[in-house]
Amino acid sequence: MTDLEKARDFFYKDTFASKQTGIVIENVADHYAKCSLTITENHRNAYGGLMGGVIFTLADFTFAVSSNFNQPLTVSINSQINFTGMPKGKQLLSESKLIKDGKSTCLYEINITDELQTQVAFVTITGMKLNNR
């Protein structure tokens, strides 16, 4: 079984992200994840725009995959999202980058675009590593 298959199998248990929102893990490596989400009518707000919570859920799930796959159990303790534009395409893509990997905390940035390379959001998440995994 490949790392991608292992990650998909394990994180499929995150039913809100995988089943309710439809997020798919596209790639995984040490301290890295790339995920996607196909935008549907279920992701829209009353004005027809993409709900900000959908974008944040994608970022949070990407953080969870990159900080927990083959790593100590890590939970977010602080998140900052900057919405930078509305998607023009039909799919969101998120990609994580490890900024700092400390003994008890870590810092990631998550970049979210659409498939047309439209910048949608920039997110930073600080995680705390739990040693009792």
Side-chain angles (χ1 to χ4, degrees), residues 11-111:
F11 287 100
Y12 188 73
K13 297 173 201 164
D14 186 332
T15 57
F16 182 74
S18 64
K19 293 179 184 175
Q20 297 298 319
T21 58
I23 298 171
V24 175
I25 302 169
E26 300 292 347
N27 197 357
V28 66
D30 286 342
H31 302 288
Y32 172 82
K34 183 175 185 178
C35 299
S36 67
L37 177 141
T38 300
I39 300 169
T40 71
E41 289 305 309
N42 293 333
H43 299 124
R44 303 221 176 259
N45 61 27
Y47 290 102
L50 185 61
M51 177 69 91
V54 172
I55 299 167
F56 183 78
T57 298
L58 177 60
D60 188 53
F61 184 73
T62 304
F63 165 77
V65 174
S66 56
S67 66
N68 282 286
F69 186 70
N70 290 332
Q71 304 296 325
L73 176 61
T74 302
V75 297
S76 61
I77 56 174
N78 187 48
S79 303
Q80 173 69 44
I81 187 165
N82 295 286
F83 297 102
T84 54
M86 292 298 294
K88 294 180 175 80
K90 298 178 181 179
Q91 186 177 49
L92 293 179
L93 304 166
S94 62
E95 200 165 7
S96 68
K97 179 180 177 186
L98 177 67
I99 302 300
K100 170 101 169 106
D101 188 25
K103 187 173 186 176
S104 59
T105 62
C106 57
L107 176 64
Y108 283 81
E109 66 180 38
I110 313 294
N111 189 45

